[in-house]
Structures are given as C-alpha cells and as structure tokens.
Amino acid sequence: MKSHKMLFGLQLAFTLAVCAFLIVPVVLSILAGLTSNYFVGLESGLTLRWVFEVWDGYRDTIFRSIGIALACLLVTLVLGVPTAYVLTRSGSRLSRVVEELLMLPIAVPGLATALALISAYGGMGGFRTSWTFILVGHVLFTLPFMVRSVLAVLASIDLKTLEEGAASLGASFRQRFFDIVLPNCRNGILAGSLMVVTLSIGEFNLTWLLHTPLTKTLPVGLADAYASLRLEIGSAYTLIFLLMIVPLLLAMQAFARPRPRRFISDDPVPESK
Amino acid sequence: MIYLLLPAAAFFGAFFILPMCRLFLVGGSGARGWSAYTAILTDPIYFNSLLATLGVAAATTVATLIISAIAGVFLQRHRFPGNALLVSMLTLPLAFPGVVIGFMVIMLAGRQGLVGTITQALGGDKWVFAYSLGGLFMGYVYFSVPRTILTVMSATEKLDPRLEEAARSLGASTWRVVLDVILPGLKPAFISAGAICFATAVGAFGTAFTLAARINVLPMVIYTEFTLSANIAMAAALSFVLGAVTWLVLALARTAAGSTVAAAG
C-alpha cells in the first residue's frame, strides 16, 4: 500500500512538472506583456502601454484574421457537411479514396502547400494580392477537420433508418437533408466549426508564404513582432492572441466531454400501450 | 447524391491537386533539372539538414510519447480534486501556432528566459539554448504533448480494467502490469500519435522560424531557398519530397495502427 502511495506521488509530481513546463511560459509571457520593463522586472510596474501599442500597430491584422476565420468557416460548412454526408451514405471504396485525398493537406507541410499554390496561381495578380488567396489555403487546411468531426457524429447514428423512415412518409431529399441530417449532426458541426475557427486564426505555416504586405494576419504579425520588436511588445501581442483563442479552446474542451446521446438510445424502448 | 461532392471536389482539384502537380513540374525545371529530386540525398548541405530534421523529429516523438504516456494514464486512472483543471491546463496550448510556441521557448530558454535566470542565480553559467536544435526540440515537445496526452487519455479510457485486475490477481507486480497489459493495450494509440508527432515535427515551420538563427532543418532550408536564393525549383523539389515523407509516415502508421489516425494541427 505504501509503495502505491509513493507511485501516486511520483506520477502526480511528474504531471505537475509537465503542467509547469506548458503553463509557466504562458504566464511569463502574459506578465512580460504587462510589465513596464521586463528586463528590470515586475518592480518597474505594470502597464497597459504595450497592449495599446500593439493595438495601434496591429489592429488590422486582428480584424483580418477574424474575417478570414469566419469566411473559412462558411466555406468549410458549405463544402464539408455535404461531403461528410455523402461519405457516410456511400460507404464504398470511393469514399475511402476521397477521405484519404481530403486528409492530404494535413499530412503535407503547409510550406509545400503554400509553394504549390504560389506556383500555380502566383501569376494571377488580383487573386495573389487579395485576402482570398490566404482564405483558399486556410480552407484546404481546415476542411478535413470539419469533414472528420461531422463524419464522427454521422457514423454514430443510424442515418439510413432515419432517412428511410422519412422517405416512406414522403419527405423529399431536400427535406430529409435539412430536417433530419443537419439537426442530427449538429454537435459535429459545432465542434468542427470551433476547430476550424481556432485553426484558421492561428494558421502560420501556409499564411507566411501566402501573405502580402497588405494582407497580414495575426500570426504573421506575431512573427513580425517577435523578430523585430522588444520582448514586451511580442508578449502583449501574444496576450491579445491568447484572449482570442482561449475562449474557443475552452468551448472545445467542454464539447469534447462525453455527453449522453440523444437521438437513438441503446436501451430498449419502453412499450407504450 | 454524388453531386453534393462536386463543390468540394472542384475546390480540392483546383487548389490542391492541380497546384501539387504544378509544384512537381516546377521542381524539375531548375538548374539541376530532375536531379533536384535526388539532391536531397546527394548534396551534403541538403542531406545534413534532412538528417537534422529527422533526428529532431525522432527525439521529439520519443520524448513526447514517454511524457504523455505517464501523465495521460495517470490523469485518466486517478480521479482527484483538481484533475479536470490539470487536464485543461495540459491541453491549453493545443491550438497555439508554431510561432507562439517558438516565443514560449524564448520565454523559457531565451536570452532573458527563465532557465537562464535560474541557472545564473544558482551561480552557474546562464543557460541559453532557445536558438539551437535544443530549443527546437523543446518547442516541438511543447507543441506535441497536449494533443498526445488527449490521445493517450481516450485510449486509456477504452482499456478493459478487468485485464489488469486479472493480471494482479495472478500475482503480477505493478511493473509487469504496465509492461504486459497497459502498454500493449495503448500500442495503436502510441503508433498513431507518434506518427503525428513525427510528421508535424518534420514539416513544422513556425517554431523554427521564430527561433531562427542557426537551425538548419528542412523547412527553414526550403524557406531560404525560396526567399533569399530565389531558387524556386529547388524549394519546390525539397518541399515535394518533404510532403511525400510526412504523408508516407502517416500512411504507414495508419496501416500499422489499423484505424484512422487523428489529425494534427
């Protein structure tokens, strides 16, 4: 029993150490962003000066990132949800191939995807210099996550029976899709949406090559600030980024918790006579 | 019904398949011609950066798996006050992009970093290793631990506790249970999570870019070829090879683990 207690203690200590490794730099960075002079330390006093400076200098990157993330969400919804539906329903070898293809942009480094996009479309001036060029990259990268998360939900419900039931009652394909399929995969769509927005806001690998001086996004600005400005500015900018991304992450964590299934239960249906 | 696939297929064809084919052609169009694709093995500069990249990725994978296995199994098996808080803290950096991870490494091991301050206060030299391969390794571990812990936890949840009870009742020690029951049960999760760690570390660019300086990993080499040397053909060939390597690792893991590999950020 004693050795069990010791083992528990050791494991707890190890886990706490890992936690510290992950969290301490975040805390340090937040403090640095609020400290007057980080080199001197906290004694130099707390200030919001750096945050305001970042806000003045990089405000446009913040709004652009949010805009791109929302546009990306819209496109992935329109492209991804029907794709997941077809993949569930057809269930053939074709859908294996399609799934494999769709996952490629995750497997391939963002740098390679960005270079490919530039070599194919870099010559199209208007497209190359607009924010939609970045949007295309973000959609490629996030689409698999939307498809995956909707697929996961669709695979856990008996869609075929539900649809056949509806069809036998005379529902058209359109009605079935909007009144049965979509409400049933609502959780998957929500989880996928959170994922898409979070990933798009933070995307750097692709964006760094795709961006132009007029289409900088938040992570691009972060890289800029880290490279050329003082530690406090980089930290204050990181703080703003954290404020945007942490609520999304917390929402995602809340979603990841197992929840009771609502639509088709495994329990025998009580007879109602 | 198949028509529903058309929009996605059109988008994917126009913006991924076509550009990738184009990239492949560009790779063979430079001064080296098609031998650009073999230069990664024959040119010592590229070959050394390939070795450095694979080395860092392998070290990251091993370290991440060990850390996540210990912490993940522990958190899943023991319910205690604060457990949920620990889990959310461990998974908080999940969506940090590579650049931010690089900055966190600078906060820890950079010129004004915590490690340097502590080692100096203890009377030793100021440890600054953020801008080297060591820093990159640290960054990749930081990046990979949160997602791997989640994978390990969900795999642990699915392990049948009766197997462990059976082993114990037959007189197996804690270590034997870990070695013969828990680890084999987690093997598929390890393979898929490890493959993702490895592929991400091979292809990640943001962290190396933030730490920059003297780190010659392949993504950085590709980037300098493209921007500084304007050697677009070489950059294309290298990134095509890099993409093939990461895809192959993930595909092999998928076959080995017998299930779809969860995706990486």
Side-chain angles (χ1 to χ4, degrees):
Chain A
M1 207 51 226
K2 202 176 168 195
S3 80
H4 265 250
K5 265 212 171 125
M6 205 174 89
L7 193 65
F8 178 86
L10 278 176
Q11 281 177 301
L12 180 64
F14 181 83
T15 309
L16 287 175
V18 179
C19 250
F21 168 58
L22 295 177
I23 294 303
V24 166
V26 179
V27 176
L28 284 178
S29 149
I30 291 173
L31 280 179
L34 299 173
T35 312
S36 297
N37 186 335
Y38 190 65
F39 200 70
V40 176
L42 276 180
E43 305 87 75
S44 62
L46 292 175
T47 174
L48 279 177
R49 179 181 148 208
W50 309 114
V51 176
F52 286 125
E53 216 161 289
V54 169
W55 181 252
D56 284 340
Y58 291 100
R59 193 172 29 199
D60 59 321
T61 68
I62 296 166
F63 288 123
R64 187 171 299 110
S65 269
I66 295 175
I68 290 179
L70 292 178
C72 184
L73 171 60
L74 194 73
V75 178
T76 49
L77 281 175
V78 171
L79 297 180
V81 178
T83 305
Y85 170 71
V86 175
L87 290 182
T88 319
R89 285 308 304 273
S90 58
S92 60
R93 192 173 301 159
L94 173 80
S95 70
R96 286 290 310 157
V97 175
V98 172
E99 222 189 316
E100 185 72 29
L101 273 176
L102 273 179
M103 299 309 155
L104 266 178
I106 302 179
V108 173
L111 212 54
T113 314
L115 278 179
L117 279 172
I118 291 172
S119 62
Y121 297 103
M124 295 167 84
F127 180 42
R128 174 72 183 87
T129 51
S130 92
W131 62 275
T132 49
F133 199 55
I134 297 176
L135 175 66
V136 164
H138 284 204
V139 171
L140 276 181
F141 177 62
T142 54
L143 186 60
F145 292 92
M146 177 62 84
V147 173
R148 266 243 154 97
S149 123
V150 178
L151 260 182
V153 175
L154 285 179
S156 69
I157 57 177
D158 189 0
L159 198 60
K160 194 157 176 275
T161 311
L162 287 178
E163 273 204 74
E164 272 167 9
S168 72
L169 294 170
S172 68
F173 176 75
R174 214 188 136 77
Q175 279 175 317
R176 292 197 315 258
F177 188 75
F178 284 100
D179 294 339
I180 294 177
V181 179
L182 287 188
N184 269 299
C185 54
R186 194 179 53 198
N187 280 347
I189 292 177
L190 251 159
S193 303
L194 284 168
M195 192 81 169
V196 166
V197 171
T198 319
L199 287 176
S200 169
I201 288 183
E203 213 302 315
F204 175 80
N205 291 342
L206 276 159
T207 320
W208 180 256
L209 284 188
L210 296 182
H211 90 276
T212 62
L214 289 175
T215 54
K216 281 186 185 169
T217 63
L218 207 170
V220 169
L222 277 174
D224 251 16
Y226 293 159
S228 53
L229 300 163
R230 48 188 298 170
L231 199 62
E232 289 88 346
I233 300 247
S235 295
Y237 202 179
T238 311
L239 175 65
I240 295 182
F241 172 75
L242 291 176
L243 285 179
M244 288 169 66
I245 210 96
V246 168
L248 290 168
L249 275 170
L250 291 181
M252 236 161 28
Q253 281 179 353
F255 247 87
R257 288 204 193 105
R259 49 184 59 226
R261 283 204 285 160
R262 282 214 303 252
F263 295 101
I264 299 173
S265 76
D266 295 326
D267 309 327
V269 181
E271 280 173 302
S272 51
K273 273 192 179 160
Chain B
M1 193 173 72
I2 209 83
Y3 294 111
L4 282 175
L5 269 185
L6 280 182
F11 181 89
F12 200 73
F15 294 119
F16 192 77
I17 307 286
L18 192 93
M20 275 297 163
C21 297
R22 176 102 192 133
L23 186 72
F24 184 71
L25 294 178
V26 170
S29 70
R32 289 172 193 259
W34 290 104
S35 73
Y37 281 96
T38 49
I40 197 167
L41 293 177
T42 54
D43 189 317
I45 296 179
Y46 301 133
F47 188 65
N48 284 338
S49 70
L50 175 71
L51 288 185
T53 311
L54 297 181
V56 154
T60 303
T61 310
V62 172
T64 305
L65 285 182
I66 294 174
I67 293 173
S68 315
I70 298 175
V73 172
F74 172 72
L75 286 170
Q76 186 64 43
R77 279 294 154 83
H78 299 279
R79 296 289 153 185
F80 50 89
N83 180 302
L85 183 70
L86 279 183
V87 173
S88 17
M89 276 161 75
L90 282 168
T91 49
L92 180 77
L94 200 62
F96 289 5
V99 269
V100 172
I101 308 278
F103 189 63
M104 295 302 160
V105 172
I106 292 179
M107 293 311 294
L108 274 178
R111 282 180 207 102
Q112 298 178 47
L114 186 69
V115 175
T117 316
I118 291 177
T119 50
Q120 207 172 25
L122 291 176
D125 285 341
K126 192 171 184 177
W127 279 19
V128 175
F129 59 91
Y131 315 98
S132 65
L133 271 181
L136 195 63
F137 165 73
M138 195 172 178
Y140 288 168
V141 171
Y142 189 105
F143 183 83
S144 308
V145 161
R147 53 204 76 224
T148 312
I149 280 192
L150 281 185
T151 316
V152 170
M153 283 181 69
S154 66
T156 312
E157 196 182 4
K158 291 192 191 96
L159 283 185
D160 190 346
R162 280 174 299 183
L163 287 176
E164 286 158 54
E165 277 160 34
R168 273 206 197 93
S169 70
L170 291 171
S173 68
T174 308
W175 284 117
R176 286 233 68 92
V177 174
V178 169
L179 282 182
D180 294 341
V181 181
I182 296 185
L183 286 183
L186 294 179
K187 203 169 124 193
F190 282 159
I191 292 176
S192 58
I196 290 168
C197 284
F198 189 82
T200 322
V202 165
F205 165 64
T207 313
F209 183 77
T210 308
L211 302 175
R214 303 182 301 274
I215 308 173
N216 252 336
V217 285
L218 265 183
M220 286 306 285
V221 173
I222 293 174
Y223 179 68
T224 33
E225 288 288 340
F226 178 66
T227 50
L228 297 181
S229 324
N231 190 352
I232 294 163
M234 199 61 223
L238 288 176
S239 55
F240 200 88
V241 172
L242 193 65
V245 169
T246 44
W247 176 79
L248 195 70
V249 169
L250 289 174
L252 284 176
R254 201 150 39 220
T255 321
S259 65
T260 40
V261 172

